[in-house]
Amino acid sequence: MNNITVVRKLFRLSWNALMANPMRSFLTTLGIIIGSLTIIIVVALGEGAKKNIEQQYSSMSVTTILINAPSTVDGAASKLSYTDVEPIKQLPSIETAIPQLSGRVQIQYDGQSSNLSVLGTTPNIQQLASLKLTKGRFFTEEENDTHEKVAVIGAIVAEELFGNRNADVIGKTITVGKKEFEVIGLLEYKGGSVGPTTIDDSIFTPYSSTYRYVLGINGRFNMNAQAKDVKLISQAVDEISKSLRETHKLKPGMNDDFRVRDMGTTVSAAVNSSRTMSVLLASVGIVVLLVGGIGIMNIMYVTVTERTKEIGIRKAIGAQSEYILFQFLFEAFILSLVGFLIGCILSFGVYFLLNNLEVSVVLVWWSYVLSFFTTVSIGIFFGWYPAHKAASLNPIDALRYE
Amino acid sequence: MTNTLLSLKKIVKSYQIKSETYHILKSLDIEIKRGDFVAIMGPSGSGKSTLLNIIGCLDSPSSGSYILEDKNVSRLSERELAVIRNIHIGFIFQNFNLISSLSVIDNVLLPSFYLGKENYKRAKELLESMGLSDRSAFKPNELSGGQKQRVAIARALMNNPSFLLADEPTGALDSKTGKEIMDLIVDLNTKQGKTILMVTHDPLIAKRAHSIIHLQDGKIVHE
């Protein structure tokens, strides 16, 4: 009989002992189930958040600088406006800058009506946000200068208004707010966003016609600029702030009436905050597991006491202490392992549930590995002491125990 | 191999409680030969159980020597004693002491498992010789008292031990079943040549042994 057979037999002994009291075993393992499930789901939520952030900013390069106006600055309206775009474009470290006038507007086509976001901007957004067209063309500087009512639409917009993402949209006339615009381009599906607006469900129109015919002063105004090089980002941020303070005529000591953030800082802040959240929640998972481990220890103590006589018999007929130790250790191990496995199965259920609720979750293999090792080490850690107690019982006293 | 299976010389067992020393066994000398059938009798408090524990290698004497199969076992560690119990001693208890969660066959197999060679064939043969082959998948609580004690005897024989150590083997049985079990134990001695040590307080049962050791106040009164 080799070691593997011994281990298998001891496993069977432990399993039978647990199955003699299935309800108690299940309740004991409940803490472990919840703990391992928590770890898996927390990691999945964290990964989901990370993926969200990546997707949201995927269309923007790190050299992008976001300039916007906080909703209120001391009650006064921000002076950030279209006239700020040109001076920023001229700054030495800036490659280009674009205005963004955005708002939600009722869009109609052939009886189909949808509330979508409109983004009035200039053609250089195409380069800045690396937009790709599947059909038609982008509008030009001239069309912006002459207030042309032309529109480039995102893939989801095409789907909503025309039935599919690849519909024949060029030359069609859509009603944006109250004015008719001609569709001249269709964008490739991207799954990302330009700052606050997502690309796929937006309509891109020239800044001038958007301001004049659609949004006016009700639109939300902000700017994106692009630094010439990654090394110039912080210089660019400084230059933009300085330039805006000058054009807005802010005296020293007065607060900025705008906000300038570079992409790298913004993304890393978002990633950091989601990571902090994950770590926080994962520690909750570990605390739950610890409590579950104490539950195992508690029940193992009861089990050892209840089975003192059995231990005595086993020792009398020649069981070495290790056999007793491992028999009880395996019980703790099985409890935690089964708890982990049930937690795994439940994690799929929770995953589908959260997915249906449109919460972004991504299951990753390493969360299972993490959960497995935490769970099993806790089971063995807390099972060891009761098992050791069982193994070191004096056979005479144990046999006499009733 | 000598004819002597085990010999106890000047065995003393004492306990120290605070400043008082209690002597449970006071210099016992016992020698058991192969194939012997010896009964140990004595009132409660005579040191019977302590002697049984020492002979059964569950306990070590305070002083004196215990030679079993030419091996001094009086100074062995708990670990080594477990091996001796496993190989050389077959326990038969008053209350059977079967493990209730295990089937009959698994109970019988247990000593061979702890020996490291599970012998399923032998376990089956032993159960058959006890007339219990149709009960091997049963749990102990599905058996009668007599059947339980037969399973316990089969388990005691599993590793073919040097001797059987029976502690009031009929104490929990009615007289008819008790007689059957005693017949079985006597048969093991006469037909298979098993050495048997039996503790009992019943003189009628003790009479079936070849010799009787009377114990009183930790001393042998007469043999």
Side-chain angles (χ1 to χ4, degrees), chain A residues 10-70:
Chain A
L10 281 175
F11 241 102
R12 218 185 70 205
L13 280 178
S14 310
W15 178 258
N16 288 344
L18 291 171
M19 280 301 116
N21 230 326
M23 192 59 186
R24 181 163 92 184
S25 302
F26 173 73
L27 290 175
T28 308
T29 196
L30 205 54
I32 297 294
I33 294 173
I34 296 168
S36 52
L37 179 65
T38 311
I39 289 186
I40 293 168
I41 292 303
V42 158
V43 171
L45 283 170
E47 288 298 303
K50 212 166 96 187
K51 189 181 143 205
N52 252 0
I53 293 163
E54 276 165 10
Q55 207 171 51
Q56 200 179 354
Y57 296 104
S58 63
S59 52
M60 309 186 93
S61 73
V62 284
T63 50
T64 307
I65 295 161
L66 310 170
I67 306 150
N68 62 359

Side-chain angles (χ1 to χ4, degrees), chain B residues 1-218:
Chain B
M1 201 191 265
T2 57
N3 197 29
T4 305
L5 175 70
L6 65 87
S7 71
L8 291 91
K9 287 205 175 72
K10 295 186 176 133
I11 290 290
V12 172
K13 185 72 183 177
S14 50
Y15 292 97
Q16 186 116 25
I17 298 171
K18 288 180 184 165
S19 54
E20 299 266 351
T21 306
Y22 297 89
H23 297 282
I24 309 296
L25 298 177
K26 299 159 186 167
S27 195
L28 293 187
D29 292 305
I30 296 171
E31 191 174 297
I32 311 266
K33 292 189 167 54
R34 276 174 216 285
D36 242 349
F37 185 176
V38 179
I40 301 169
M41 290 192 77
S44 57
S46 59
K48 211 166 44 174
S49 301
T50 308
L51 178 61
L52 187 82
N53 286 339
I54 289 173
I55 294 176
C57 289
L58 290 163
D59 204 352
S60 303
S62 306
S63 69
S65 76
Y66 173 14
I67 312 290
L68 171 61
E69 296 269 21
D70 301 328
K71 194 173 177 179
N72 191 342
V73 297
S74 48
R75 288 285 170 270
L76 293 182
S77 68
E78 166 54 37
R79 204 190 156 70
E80 291 162 317
L81 286 177
V83 176
I84 298 289
R85 290 198 294 271
N86 186 240
I87 296 172
H88 293 298
I89 305 170
F91 285 96
I92 302 168
F93 302 95
Q94 179 176 3
N95 294 315
F96 328 125
N97 281 351
L98 299 174
I99 293 173
S100 55
S101 59
L102 297 181
S103 66
V104 163
I105 187 86
D106 280 335
N107 265 289
V108 177
L109 275 170
L110 209 52
S112 67
F113 169 63
Y114 290 131
L115 185 64
K117 342 180 164 103
E118 226 173 21
N119 193 338
Y120 191 76
K121 190 165 157 274
R122 177 164 170 82
K124 266 177 80 175
E125 282 166 4
L126 283 168
L127 277 179
E128 204 180 317
S129 73
M130 296 292 153
L132 291 168
S133 26
D134 56 336
R135 296 286 189 273
S136 65
F138 281 46
K139 288 282 162 67
N141 61 9
E142 295 168 311
L143 303 179
S144 70
Q147 287 171 328
K148 282 182 197 167
Q149 196 59 299
R150 280 166 203 271
V151 174
I153 293 170
R155 180 180 66 185
L157 292 168
M158 186 65 206
N159 285 352
N160 199 16
S162 308
F163 66 98
L164 294 179
L165 192 56
D167 183 9
E168 304 272 11
T170 61
L173 302 170
D174 60 73
S175 56
K176 185 172 165 285
T177 322
K179 192 185 168 298
E180 283 168 17
I181 293 295
M182 272 319 295
D183 290 345
L184 185 64
I185 290 174
V186 171
D187 272 1
L188 286 173
N189 176 248
T190 53
K191 293 193 180 144
Q192 295 184 34
K194 287 281 164 205
T195 314
I196 294 165
L197 258 94
M198 181 176 68
V199 171
T200 183
H201 66 273
D202 186 341
L204 282 174
I205 285 175
K207 255 185 202 156
R208 301 193 63 173
H210 301 162
S211 57
I212 302 174
I213 297 170
H214 285 275
L215 211 61
Q216 200 155 22
D217 289 332

Side-chain angles (χ1 to χ4, degrees), chain A residues 344-369:
Chain A
C344 282
I345 294 164
L346 290 181
S347 74
F348 298 119
V350 174
Y351 171 75
F352 285 115
L353 193 80
L354 289 175
N355 242 351
N356 278 342
L357 295 170
E358 300 197 335
V359 176
S360 173
V361 277
V362 179
L363 291 178
V364 283
W365 63 270
W366 59 264
S367 69
Y368 290 89
V369 176

Side-chain angles (χ1 to χ4, degrees), chain A residues 88-150:
Chain A
I88 287 173
K89 265 187 182 170
Q90 307 307 323
L91 294 170
S93 59
I94 297 296
E95 176 80 32
T96 186
I98 54 154
Q100 289 189 334
L101 185 65
S102 57
R104 292 195 82 84
V105 172
Q106 203 67 28
I107 313 289
Q108 291 170 58
Y109 173 77
D110 196 21
Q112 292 288 326
S113 175
S114 202
N115 192 31
L116 297 165
S117 78
V118 171
L119 192 71
T121 181
T122 49
N124 49 354
I125 189 175
Q126 216 190 330
Q127 168 213 342
L128 197 137
S130 39
L131 301 177
K132 285 196 186 74
L133 291 147
T134 49
K135 281 191 169 75
R137 60 174 182 89
F138 217 82
F139 53 81
T140 60
E141 286 291 350
E142 292 72 38
E143 282 167 323
N144 185 30
D145 292 344
T146 55
H147 316 290
E148 291 301 324
K149 287 176 280 183
V150 288

